[in-house]
Amino acid sequence: MNILNNYFDGEYLEFNKDNYSIKLKIEKIPEGYIIRGKVKGKLGKIDIFDDFADEDLFINNWQSWSPTKKIKVLNYKYNIPDDWKKTAKYSAHPMPEYLENNIISDYFIAKKNKVYGFLTSKIAHPFFEVKDNKIIACLEYFEKNADEYIDIEPLIILENNEMEKLLEIYADYVKFENNPKFSKWNPVGWSSWYHYYEELTWQDTLKNLELSKEYNYEVFQLDDSWQKDIGDWIPKDSFPGFDIIANKIKEYGYIPGLWLAPFSVSEISEVFLKHKDWLVKDENGEPKVAYINWRKNIYALDTTHPEAQEHLKNIFLNMRNNGIHYFKTDFLFAGAIPGKRYVEVTPIEAYNIGMKIIREAIGEDFILGCGAPILPSIGYVDGMRISADTAPFYKPNDLDFVYPNAYYALRNVITRYFMNGKWWWNDPDCLILRTEDTELNDKIIEMYSYVSGLLNNMILQSDDLSKTIKKDVYFNSLKLRGGIPHVKGLMNDNYSFEIEAFNTNIGNVKMHVDLEKINFKLEYDEDYPQLNKNTVLREEDNRLFHYYEERDNNA
Amino acid sequence: MLERRFNPITGEWVMISSSRQKRPNLPKDSCPICPGVLELPGEYDLVSFENRFPALKKDAPNVENNSNVLIKDKSQGICEVVVYTEKHNSELSYMPIYQIEKLINMWADRTKELSSYEFIKYVFIFENKGKEVGATLPHPHGQLYAFPFLPPRIQLKIESLEKWYSEKNSCAICDIVKEEKEQNERIVYETENIIALVPFYARYPYEVHVYPKRHVETIYELSNKEKKEFAEVLRVITNKYNGLFNMPFPYMMMFFQKPFNINKTTHFFHFHVEFISPMRGPNLIKWVASVESGTWAFINPIEPEQAAKQLRDVEVKLDEI
């Protein structure tokens, strides 16, 4: 049967385009619709749906550090400086040139009463283009040849009068579609980065371990500093071996954590010098620069090359077998750059292959994703950075694109709140709680920390602990965790939001937060009987008894 | 034997638990949940513990399926006894509101903890009070079943609420609360945030439903203020019940909250409580017989508006209880 010149086989609406054939079907759900389908042929960019745009839209960019924010469509420009474009390359987007000339939103987009979002990114890169007052849902297949029909990434369309609620529902459907299994543990700990950066020494590590005793951390993580080179993931000469690092951290009762960028290879690394065949290539067969950082060209590991795969697996096995059980995996987008690979797959498929190797190597240990494409990472990471780098400064007038800045980092902590606990644990980036060596004032320190706590995010502090630290803010932030948060105001013109969290460790809490005016107000629930719980196992019949009694707050 | 069996005719799972047959009737000389007796050796404030005679067990024995028709599965779940106070001669209607607030917090914490197990799909809190509804102990207590499946009436509630949401883009209970407040015929008791009413569609003569006015999906989303008022409402309703015919009034109190760990949205589920009682008058029982049991079609001999008025008129002085 033909409907509007398209063949309908009772289940799918089928039609042919220039180089491909596509079948689509619409599934009704209580909150709207899901469009599923199949496609075959020579696959480039495919448009599968469009709808009218509003003047104001809520957009999202593809990876951890990128913004999620409300924009005014008219005259919107990304405003990326030229020198940054030269170095950022694929950290900006898998199709950086496309980002530059169009208004696009990756994975999902929203207007005040509708959310459109793709549910997966397994083969294609899903995004939305905003053009001629329309929102167009697109799938980029990077010229994939599909001789047989393959499933498209499903698209959901949700409608209601509360956009924030729709984003929460979108997150639910993404969860159902991907069924991610991630750690039940939502970590608290320390990271070296935002004080020591690349200058961390083993002596600094030992000093901070000793000073950390009063914080009750769970994880202690050394950041970029310990390794021989980007790509050569073994300790440099001034650091001891993995086993000594791990054992020393364990002595203090913490889980040992290390940072690495597993898909990145620097131009002077041993891997680059000896194994150029392990890298993603350009059209001429030369290694392709993924981005420039550390004043070096950085190339991407080809996760489809058998030897590179073995190498990737061994990096993690080696660390894990020596006692490292928390991995901050950074610059992950490098695994998803377009280019020539050993096996013909899309960049997204290559990324999935790489992440699967890492997950299989480390079993149930904790992976924090960072600099990572959002949707393809679901199911592989336990925690995910959802903001640009924070910083010991807060600059509302700076450019809003992937630069370290506590202002935009905090904005994204709020605008991506709905992913938390459904796809992974949101990492709001570290809390900087020192009052020295920082431009952050007390109000900003508290605002960043309390928002992170109230949104039930991971809490990692990053200070030289010998400095003056706002310890009370750290402990207050922990008290604010444990709840179910909802945010209102994502479409407000200024960055002022209302966060309400139910059932936190201290009951229900409301927070009005104004990022522009640097102002916040916390409202606590009425007093209530706080109960202590004591669970006892009765060994004679293996039954659990849970005794509750009022907590003696004066004890 | 501990297993569950599937009825393909109705789609129901039936829990078979032969240990429950060994449950004692009313103890002659001592209460097993009083401090220092059988279950709870020392003093306590509130306690929840795994039932000695469970229908569902965390480490339920594996069962082997030998048939594609007569299907069975292991009864993996959790059954707990929830003891409200160590005072034997108390009940919800006498308890200080503060103690009920603590109890609500315990229910909330139990729900949160039990729902963290992937295999738990539903946490059902309930109380059977009075020998007319099969309660074996007078000591104030309730129970909690954490199911590995969605029981049929829960399934039905989810489907109905989902259909309503699909068609009207709103929560059915939020809409009911609004309408009931406008009509003001069946409200029994109301606070700023909680409403108790005989529902328009009551199946039992003195059925009372308690709805938070704000849309919350679980008990643990209630604010502290809402919990305080919820405690007050529970005490007032149970007290009105006792005052209705000037007799200890038997009831079943059942809490309904959203399911857990299922791959489906249920944000349209509105946490609520249903009280039902077998009493239809002084010393008169409304039997749930063939029509009700066989077809789930109920005949209510008392107009809900009349029942609501009777309950509303029972005077309760909170400060004197």
Side-chain angles (χ1 to χ4, degrees), chain A residues 267-507:
Chain A
E267 62 183 326
I268 57 165
S269 67
E270 214 159 294
V271 170
F272 180 80
L273 298 174
K274 290 185 178 166
H275 302 288
K276 290 195 178 64
D277 52 327
W278 291 2
L279 306 175
V280 178
K281 314 278 194 315
D282 62 19
E283 287 305 312
N284 303 318
E286 294 300 318
K288 194 171 183 180
V289 177
Y291 60 101
I292 297 169
N293 199 359
W294 302 278
R295 295 167 303 282
K296 301 170 197 167
N297 284 333
I298 305 295
Y299 299 93
L301 201 67
D302 175 0
T303 54
T304 68
H305 192 292
E307 288 174 19
Q309 290 180 339
E310 195 62 19
H311 169 72
L312 182 63
K313 184 173 89 178
N314 287 334
I315 290 169
F316 284 91
L317 281 179
N318 183 30
M319 292 170 83
R320 187 183 196 223
N321 291 340
N322 281 291
I324 307 298
H325 297 296
Y326 176 100
F327 302 88
K328 178 178 173 186
T329 52
D330 207 351
F331 294 86
L332 288 180
F333 66 85
I337 70 163
K340 286 177 106 60
R341 289 180 165 82
Y342 186 82
V343 175
E344 271 193 31
V345 293
T346 69
I348 309 305
E349 288 174 297
Y351 181 77
N352 279 304
I353 291 167
M355 292 305 288
K356 191 163 177 240
I357 291 167
I358 296 173
R359 174 46 80 192
E360 283 175 359
I362 66 150
E364 292 186 356
D365 284 356
F366 197 95
I367 303 180
L368 173 66
C370 190
I374 298 288
L375 273 196
S377 300
I378 296 173
Y380 297 114
V381 299
D382 301 287
M384 182 69 141
R385 260 287 290 289
I386 37 76
S387 68
D389 274 25
T390 189
F393 50 82
Y394 187 93
K395 295 183 174 171
N397 296 319
D398 268 15
L399 289 175
D400 180 14
F401 213 91
V402 191
Y403 294 115
N405 183 345
Y407 174 66
Y408 290 122
L410 182 54
R411 187 271 319 274
N412 252 45
V413 172
I414 296 170
T415 55
R416 286 183 173 165
Y417 82 98
F418 57 91
M419 302 171 184
N420 191 45
K422 294 182 178 175
W423 302 353
W424 46 56
W425 296 111
N426 276 5
D427 170 17
D429 210 4
C430 298
L431 307 188
I432 297 170
L433 302 178
R434 58 185 180 266
T435 55
E436 309 163 63
D437 296 338
T438 177
E439 293 170 23
L440 304 177
N441 64 32
D442 287 1
K443 197 90 177 172
I444 296 170
I445 289 173
E446 288 178 31
M447 185 167 70
Y448 202 113
S449 307
Y450 296 157
V451 166
S452 302
L454 202 57
L455 292 174
N456 198 27
N457 286 179
M458 294 169 60
I459 298 288
L460 277 97
Q461 184 195 349
S462 193
D463 293 305
D464 170 352
L465 297 176
S466 66
K467 303 285 178 191
T468 312
I469 309 281
K470 292 184 77 67
K471 253 179 264 172
D472 57 328
V473 174
Y474 168 77
F475 287 107
N476 288 340
S477 304
L478 295 185
K479 283 184 198 159
L480 291 170
R481 296 209 313 167
I484 305 162
H486 302 284
V487 172
K488 284 186 180 163
L490 294 184
M491 285 295 249
N492 285 351
D493 275 330
N494 49 9
Y495 290 153
S496 70
F497 307 97
E498 188 177 300
I499 304 170
E500 195 165 13
F502 300 98
N503 201 41
T504 73
N505 295 334
I506 49 167

Side-chain angles (χ1 to χ4, degrees), chain A residues 30-31 160 176 184 482 484 502-503 508 525-529 533 538 543-546 548 550, chain B residues 39 46 48 50 58 98 105-106 109-110 112-113 116 165-166 214 220 223-224 228 264-265 267:
Chain A
E31 305 88 354
N160 198 326
F176 303 151
K184 285 192 172 178
I484 305 162
F502 300 98
N503 201 41
N508 294 8
D525 210 346
E526 287 187 7
D527 279 346
Y528 73 119
K533 179 169 70 174
R538 184 167 297 179
R543 283 189 295 152
L544 288 174
F545 285 64
H546 312 278
Y548 289 79
E550 192 152 17
Chain B
E39 294 287 32
L46 306 108
S48 186
E50 288 179 280
K58 209 158 51 190
Y98 189 69
N105 281 327
M106 178 166 78
D109 192 66
R110 299 309 310 136
K112 216 173 169 196
E113 184 180 326
S116 72
Y165 182 87
S166 246
R214 186 170 64 87
Y220 57 70
S223 71
N224 298 337
K228 265 187 214 298
K264 200 173 171 350
T265 52
H267 53 90

Side-chain angles (χ1 to χ4, degrees), chain B residues 59-72:
Chain B
D59 53 351
N62 280 324
V63 294
E64 207 175 319
N65 241 322
N66 300 319
S67 165
N68 290 329
V69 178
L70 304 178
I71 298 160
K72 55 188 176 179

Side-chain angles (χ1 to χ4, degrees), chain B residues 101-115:
Chain B
E101 273 182 62
K102 286 197 275 180
L103 175 59
I104 291 167
N105 281 327
M106 178 166 78
W107 280 326
D109 192 66
R110 299 309 310 136
T111 301
K112 216 173 169 196
E113 184 180 326
L114 294 169
S115 62

Side-chain angles (χ1 to χ4, degrees), chain B residues 216-233:
Chain B
V216 294
E217 297 161 36
T218 63
I219 189 170
Y220 57 70
E221 286 162 78
L222 291 173
S223 71
N224 298 337
K225 187 167 192 308
E226 287 164 335
K227 285 178 189 161
K228 265 187 214 298
E229 293 177 23
F230 183 39
E232 178 186 322
V233 171

